[in-house]
Amino acid sequence: MSLNSLRMHRSNSRACLTYIRNFTYSQHIVSVSNSNNLLNDVCVLTTRGNLKEALSLFYNTPKCHHSKQVYATLFHECAKNKTLDQGQRLHEYMLLQNPNNPPDLYVTNHLINMYAKCGDIEFARKLFDEMPVRNLVSWTALVSGYAQHGDERTCFSVFKCMLGDYRPNEFAFASVIGLCDYLHGKQVHSLALKVGLDGCVYVGSALITMYSRNSGSADGYTEAWSVFKTVRYRGLSSWNSMMNGFQHCGLGERVISLFSQMHHEGIGFDRATLLSLFSSLYGNIDDLKYLYQLHCLTIKTGFISEMKVATALVKIYGNIVGEVENCYQLFTETNHRDIVLWTSIITAFSEQAPEKSLYFYRQLLNEGLTPDPHTFSIVLKACAGFITEQPASAIHSQIIKAGLEEDTIIGNALIHAYARCGALVSSKLIFEKLAFRDLVSWNSMLKAYALHGDANTTLQLFSQMNVKPDSATIVAVLSACSHAGMVEEGTKIFDSMLESYGVVPQLDHYACMVDILGRAGLIYEAEKLINRMPMEPDAVIWSVLLASCRKHGETRLAMLAAEKLNKLQPRNSLGFVQLSNLYSLGGSFNKAGLVRKEMDVFRVRKEPGLSLIQIGNQVHEFASGGQRHPLREAIFIELKGLIGKLKAIGYVPETTLALHDTDIEQKEEQLYHHSEKLALAFATMNGVGARVVKIVKNIRICVDCHNFMKLASDLLQKEIIVRDSNRFHHFKDNKCSCNDYW
């Protein structure tokens, strides 16, 4: 490699000379008696992490002491610290000082390694191609470089060429295996067996990772486990690789078991071990004692002070366990907080307390940190929990200022946030402006239309998809068909999903299909579908069937569904409540009373119906009966006047929905004080000038409230949007977007 070639590669050679002069004249001249002393001093400085001081010492030492060992040591440290700029300057300086003496094989190998590890793989290859002589180290450095850059094809090609001259060492094998798919991995594994390197630590660890990554199922770990057992000397990397393998295959219990074995054999652990253990707990937190024990272990060993370990714990406590108090305590006890840790605490509160997520986001900005796309996406997830789209719009403005509006991840989060806040038009605009739409983009928009009951647009958009649908796509489309009563369209998609889209029907798809049939009154067809399922029905499927039975008055199947649901979720009130309501609707008040008594025996509490509405910047919460609000009496007066006006234009209370055997007046009183009616009365009482009133309800809206809202939208000349537990209802001009099918 000539000096001119290097200068052409680096356009700032003059800057290099200035840089070296600054090193030379801004530091004290150090007297070094010989090259061995210089090498020792450089080694001491680099070992302490003082690369800059080592380079300064080097540039201030006479040329006669600049041995190839010193150059190699400095290039190695540049590679280790990934300081390409300093490595390039040192390389140019070496060529300037030795114009007629090109670097030998030993130094060139270090140069290849330095350029490859610092990210300039093309220049590393150029150096390699120009070498008059190469050895095993040269080939290994290049193979490792391509592996580090994820270039599987070139890495495998160089590895094959290497076989013509040398037998690869364990580092070359480990590098190429780390990139291989299953087929190529098996081939390289066979070669490692032939040359006797399959039992080496690095090769074994790479094989375990390769087989686990390409397993594709929980049973696919067997080959990785076989390799693990054959490794002669299991280093920590071997144990970590096997734990990662189990975790990748969804075998969290095996990860914990392997860690126990590892601890029993007296083998230590590192940060990677702990991170694997934390990852294995995702979806496997049946017993919290493991989490608490690991938490104690991180405190005892001091790993709790490491950012990644603290962040992992915050994620588990906040997102998986739901213990936000522990999560917050961990966060406050961490001294140095990076953007990842801040994002984790924002995530922890995003669903349970979105207002706290926004508080932490503001604190993040006050700390001088810059949100990345992932942070913005999590904040927008929190915004999806608010009643109006104002918080999402405010974050959207900051995204535009940050120049991230075209980021696909952020665009997907905006689609979701606006849709959940009732601003479907804004979701559509974001989707249309996206420069690149990935599968999540399409799924987010399909879910948005389905959530708002626009099945026709959902199906139209589904037909326009230019990416392969996945399981979530089919769920969104089937959900839209369910909301609109499109039995034929939904059945067609369900029956063809495996053949047409390669998606195997899972529990979510069956639940949607049971809902489609049940809502349409095809209760027995829904029962037959459940009986044909290749897996056991879950609580969602039985609750969907129970809701359909209640809607269509099918008592026999309702009893079966309620029994199944109560067995699966004995603390869930849904099965008891739905069955009690069904008996009440049929006039069997004694049976309904027995079901409610059974709830008392098992100490099952019914989830109260709650509605939220935002007036100005304040959110108001209402429960049935209005006991939760200080202005209860004034609201009742406003509601009474509103009911009188609505009765004059045709409102008739659906007293058949009253759940107790009382007279007509009492039944009407029960219906009048439903939480969403109180919320609307409060909005009219406060003279809300907006053309749109938004109400969020935690359970499904009843028939009487639905009729009430339709007439109120016409009387008040406002659009009333109600987001219940299942979907959005847009009431306008005495009509609802659901077409009275929900």
Side-chain angles (χ1 to χ4, degrees):
M1 170 64 64
S2 68
L3 178 60
N4 287 335
S5 297
L6 180 59
R7 282 178 172 171
M8 286 177 65
H9 186 70
R10 288 186 74 246
S11 59
N12 56 340
S13 59
R14 182 174 295 177
C16 169
L17 293 172
T18 305
Y19 170 85
I20 293 167
R21 285 194 203 101
N22 288 339
F23 255 119
T24 303
Y25 298 115
S26 64
Q27 308 289 335
H28 294 293
I29 302 296
V30 180
S31 176
V32 179
S33 60
N34 57 52
S35 57
N36 284 335
N37 286 346
L38 175 60
L39 179 61
N40 291 335
D41 291 342
V42 166
C43 288
V44 169
L45 287 169
T46 54
T47 302
R48 293 174 180 170
N50 298 324
L51 175 58
K52 189 174 180 181
E53 287 80 354
L55 285 167
S56 176
L57 174 66
F58 174 81
Y59 290 131
N60 284 284
T61 304
K63 175 187 169 184
C64 59
H65 298 315
H66 294 176
S67 66
K68 64 180 182 180
Q69 287 82 7
V70 176
Y71 275 113
T73 301
L74 289 170
F75 285 132
H76 176 77
E77 288 302 315
C78 289
K80 183 179 173 182
N81 291 279
K82 291 184 168 50
T83 53
L84 178 61
D85 198 41
Q86 289 179 339
Q88 286 176 325
R89 286 165 176 159
L90 180 61
H91 185 190
E92 186 167 345
Y93 176 81
M94 181 180 70
L95 295 178
L96 278 167
Q97 297 300 314
N98 304 279
N100 301 317
N101 245 345
D104 63 3
L105 177 64
Y106 174 68
V107 174
T108 305
N109 285 341
H110 278 82
L111 278 167
I112 293 171
N113 179 62
M114 186 270 292
Y115 279 107
K117 286 189 175 174
C118 290
D120 196 344
I121 189 66
E122 291 181 6
F123 198 70
R125 181 59 184 264
K126 186 175 178 62
L127 285 169
F128 178 85
D129 290 340
E130 292 180 358
M131 291 177 76
V133 179
R134 305 180 188 113
N135 62 6
L136 178 61
V137 177
S138 316
W139 286 95
T140 303
L142 193 62
V143 168
S144 299
Y146 280 117
Q148 183 180 326
H149 286 264
D151 190 344
E152 178 186 352
R153 190 168 137 190
T154 311
C155 181
F156 201 73
S157 173
V158 173
F159 183 78
K160 284 196 295 183
C161 293
M162 177 185 184
L163 296 175
D165 297 323
Y166 295 97
R167 191 187 84 166
N169 58 20
E170 61 177 304
F171 304 110
F173 270 109
S175 295
V176 74
I177 289 168
L179 278 184
C180 284
D181 57 22
Y182 182 78
L183 183 60
H184 286 115
K186 290 285 281 187
Q187 292 173 356
V188 180
H189 187 185
S190 298
L191 181 60
L193 279 166
K194 287 179 182 177
V195 299
L197 290 176
D198 60 302
C200 294
V201 174
Y202 293 112
V203 178
S205 299
L207 284 168
I208 291 166
T209 301
M210 184 273 294
Y211 281 123
S212 301
R213 186 180 65 242
N214 294 299
S215 62
S217 70
D219 297 326
Y221 74 90
T222 50
E223 286 179 288
W225 181 244
S226 297
V227 172
F228 178 76
K229 290 189 291 185
T230 61
V231 176
R232 289 191 294 272
Y233 305 104
R234 295 178 196 155
L236 181 56
S237 64
S238 306
W239 291 88
N240 284 347
S241 296
M242 194 64 243
M243 290 170 69
N244 277 327
F246 283 136
Q247 191 267 321
H248 180 80
C249 295
L251 302 169
E253 291 181 1
R254 293 294 299 269
V255 177
I256 296 169
S257 174
L258 191 63
F259 179 69
S260 299
Q261 180 186 340
M262 182 178 164
H263 187 67
H264 181 72
E265 294 185 17
I267 297 167
F269 59 90
D270 60 5
R271 181 181 65 189
T273 317
L274 290 171
L275 294 178
S276 288
L277 284 163
F278 292 140
S279 296
S280 72
L281 294 177
Y282 279 69
N284 294 287
I285 308 276
D286 295 329
D287 192 343
L288 290 175
K289 70 177 183 181
Y290 294 119
L291 174 59
Y292 297 145
Q293 288 171 354
L294 283 174
H295 189 174
C296 291
L297 188 62
T298 62
I299 295 171
K300 287 179 181 178
T301 55
F303 278 107
I304 191 66
S305 63
E306 293 203 17
M307 185 77 68
K308 288 187 177 180
V309 174
T311 301
L313 275 168
V314 167
K315 285 181 179 179
I316 291 180
Y317 276 119
N319 305 348
I320 309 301
V321 183
E323 293 187 0
V324 290
E325 294 81 9
N326 280 337
C327 178
Y328 180 68
Q329 184 177 348
L330 268 168
F331 177 77
T332 55
E333 290 174 354
T334 306
N335 294 325
H336 304 289
R337 303 168 191 157
D338 63 1
I339 190 66
V340 179
L341 184 58
W342 277 100
T343 303
S344 297
I345 194 69
I346 292 170
T347 306
F349 286 93
S350 61
E351 291 188 7
Q352 294 188 38
E355 66 284 350
K356 286 190 177 179
S357 282
L358 284 189
Y359 167 78
F360 284 120
Y361 173 71
R362 288 191 291 269
Q363 290 296 105
L364 176 158
L365 297 178
N366 291 337
E367 295 269 337
L369 292 170
T370 303
D372 60 17
H374 182 61
T375 308
F376 276 124
S377 70
I378 296 299
V379 176
L380 287 168
K381 180 183 176 183
C383 292
F386 288 95
I387 300 170
T388 72
E389 68 273 22
Q390 291 170 355
S393 296
I395 300 299
H396 191 180
S397 299
Q398 294 178 26
I399 288 166
I400 294 171
K401 288 179 182 177
L404 294 171
E405 191 179 15
E406 294 186 1
D407 185 275
T408 303
I409 294 173
I410 291 176
N412 298 340
L414 279 167
I415 292 169
H416 172 73
Y418 278 129
R420 291 289 298 175
C421 295
L424 184 60
V425 173
S426 297
S427 292
K428 182 182 177 183
L429 288 172
I430 297 295
F431 179 77
E432 289 175 346
K433 286 181 180 179
L434 277 178
F436 171 74
R437 299 170 188 161
D438 61 7
L439 180 59
V440 179
S441 312
W442 289 94
N443 286 351
S444 298
M445 199 63 236
L446 287 168
K447 288 176 186 176
Y449 282 125
L451 186 65
H452 287 262
D454 193 345
N456 289 322
T457 307
T458 304
L459 291 174
Q460 184 182 354
L461 188 67
F462 179 57
S463 67
Q464 296 170 0
M465 283 185 71
N466 56 8
V467 294
K468 185 180 178 182
D470 67 353
S471 177
T473 314
I474 306 301
V475 169
V477 176
L478 290 176
S479 176
C481 292
S482 171
H483 291 322
M486 293 181 168
V487 178
E488 185 178 341
E489 293 85 347
T491 304
K492 184 179 178 182
I493 291 168
F494 179 81
D495 290 341
S496 65
M497 58 187 284
L498 178 58
E499 183 181 348
S500 300
Y501 311 111
V503 178
V504 179
Q506 300 297 326
L507 284 167
D508 287 345
H509 305 105
Y510 278 101
C512 288
M513 201 60 219
V514 169
D515 197 31
I516 288 172
L517 295 170
R519 282 175 190 257
L522 303 172
I523 306 290
Y524 293 104
E525 284 80 354
E527 182 188 20
K528 289 176 185 176
L529 179 64
I530 292 173
N531 293 334
R532 293 199 309 268
M533 284 175 59
M535 71 283 286
E536 284 295 316
D538 64 357
V540 175
I541 287 175
W542 290 117
S543 66
V544 165
L545 181 65
L546 182 57
S548 298
C549 289
R550 183 202 167 185
K551 179 178 180 180
H552 296 285
E554 175 50 57
T555 307
R556 182 191 67 81
L557 263 182
M559 292 175 66
L560 171 66
E563 181 184 348
K564 296 284 188 181
L565 181 58
N566 292 339
K567 280 184 180 179
L568 290 169
Q569 295 182 342
R571 308 299 299 174
N572 190 344
S573 65
L574 182 62
F576 295 100
V577 172
Q578 291 277 33
L579 190 59
S580 173
N581 291 350
L582 181 61
Y583 284 136
S584 296
L585 289 171
S588 302
F589 293 105
N590 290 333
K591 289 183 178 179
L594 290 173
V595 174
R596 288 194 294 273
K597 284 182 181 178
E598 192 177 356
M599 288 178 68
D600 293 335
V601 170
F602 290 108
R603 296 182 179 179
V604 177
R605 296 185 63 185
K606 177 183 178 295
E607 182 183 9
L610 301 174
S611 292
L612 302 174
I613 191 167
Q614 182 172 327
I615 306 296
N617 292 322
Q618 188 174 357
V619 175
H620 296 262
E621 182 182 276
F622 297 89
S624 292
Q627 293 89 345
R628 289 175 179 260
H629 206 281
L631 299 176
R632 180 172 180 262
E633 296 303 323
I635 294 169
F636 278 9
I637 293 170
E638 180 73 20
L639 179 58
K640 186 177 180 180
L642 181 59
I643 290 169
K645 292 176 183 176
L646 292 177
K647 280 187 173 182
I649 60 173
Y651 170 59
V652 179
E654 290 279 352
T655 54
T656 55
L657 298 174
L659 304 179
H660 299 282
D661 189 14
T662 56
D663 57 34
I664 293 294
E665 287 77 10
Q666 287 178 306
K667 288 181 178 180
E668 287 187 2
E669 280 298 313
Q670 290 176 28
L671 296 173
Y672 292 160
H673 296 158
H674 281 188
S675 61
E676 54 266 61
K677 292 190 181 83
L678 295 170
L680 180 62
F682 185 70
T684 58
M685 187 175 82
N686 280 273
V688 176
R691 304 299 301 169
V692 179
V693 177
K694 293 184 178 181
I695 300 170
V696 175
K697 187 174 173 66
N698 65 330
I699 58 177
R700 283 193 182 188
I701 188 171
C702 71
V703 174
D704 184 71
C705 289
H706 195 270
N707 294 340
F708 184 93
M709 294 296 171
K710 282 199 300 181
L711 286 165
S713 69
D714 193 33
L715 176 71
L716 302 173
Q717 287 297 293
K718 293 180 184 291
E719 181 181 3
I720 303 170
I721 300 176
V722 177
R723 184 177 95 195
D724 69 9
S725 61
N726 196 47
R727 57 165 295 161
F728 274 88
H729 296 266
H730 294 256
F731 300 97
K732 191 174 183 180
D733 300 329
N734 199 19
K735 293 178 183 178
C736 180
S737 58
C738 73
N739 294 316
D740 298 339
Y741 188 92
W742 81 101

